[in-house]
Amino acid sequence: MTKITKSEMRAYSAAAVISKRLFDAGLNKLVDFKIVPGFDDRDKKVLIAQAEYKAGSSTLTTSEDVNRFFCPEMFAKSITRRAAYIKAGKAAQIEANEAGIHPDLYQAA
């Protein structure tokens, strides 16, 4: 039996919170959220919370180290505050981008 580290337990707990917030906002099928292994700025192995979603004709990615300072609520909020934009169609997203509307401030018509 393998031992679960504190960082793995923290990542598991964070993933549960973030997944719930995305589900509550109706974004669970539009946002690809996962915890992936990676390296920090000092080349130390860390776990990273990563979320990807379509925005216009590109894919946006937001990621953050799941360390002792990581707040899953804040990470989830950084995505869910863009819910209207993420749920909008590609044409509406492109139109908002051309009009200079930030995704956080986008409101569906």
Side-chain angles (χ1 to χ4, degrees):
M1 185 172 180
T2 59
K3 185 177 177 183
I4 297 175
T5 65
K6 282 184 182 180
S7 64
E8 290 171 334
M9 193 62 200
R10 190 179 306 118
Y12 176 79
S13 176
V17 170
I18 294 166
S19 295
K20 171 90 170 87
R21 298 297 176 262
L22 292 176
F23 180 81
D24 291 347
L27 298 174
N28 55 316
K29 294 185 179 180
L30 299 171
V31 176
D32 180 26
F33 168 72
K34 54 192 165 197
I35 302 286
V36 296
F39 295 93
D40 66 6
D41 57 344
R42 294 184 208 109
D43 288 332
K44 180 183 173 191
K45 241 178 148 176
V46 295
L47 294 172
I48 298 171
Q50 181 178 342
E52 294 181 346
Y53 56 92
K54 297 284 184 192
S57 56
S58 61
T59 301
L60 296 181
T61 302
T62 184
S63 62
E64 194 171 329
D65 293 356
V66 182
N67 57 27
R68 64 183 177 181
F69 304 110
F70 179 74
C71 178
E73 293 288 345
M74 294 296 290
F75 185 84
K77 186 67 174 171
S78 72
I79 300 163
T80 58
R81 67 180 175 218
R82 298 174 180 210
Y85 180 80
I86 294 170
K87 290 177 183 177
K90 183 177 178 178
Q93 289 175 343
I94 291 171
E95 186 177 310
N97 288 342
E98 289 174 352
I101 299 171
H102 192 277
D104 290 355
L105 303 175
Y106 177 82
Q107 294 180 356

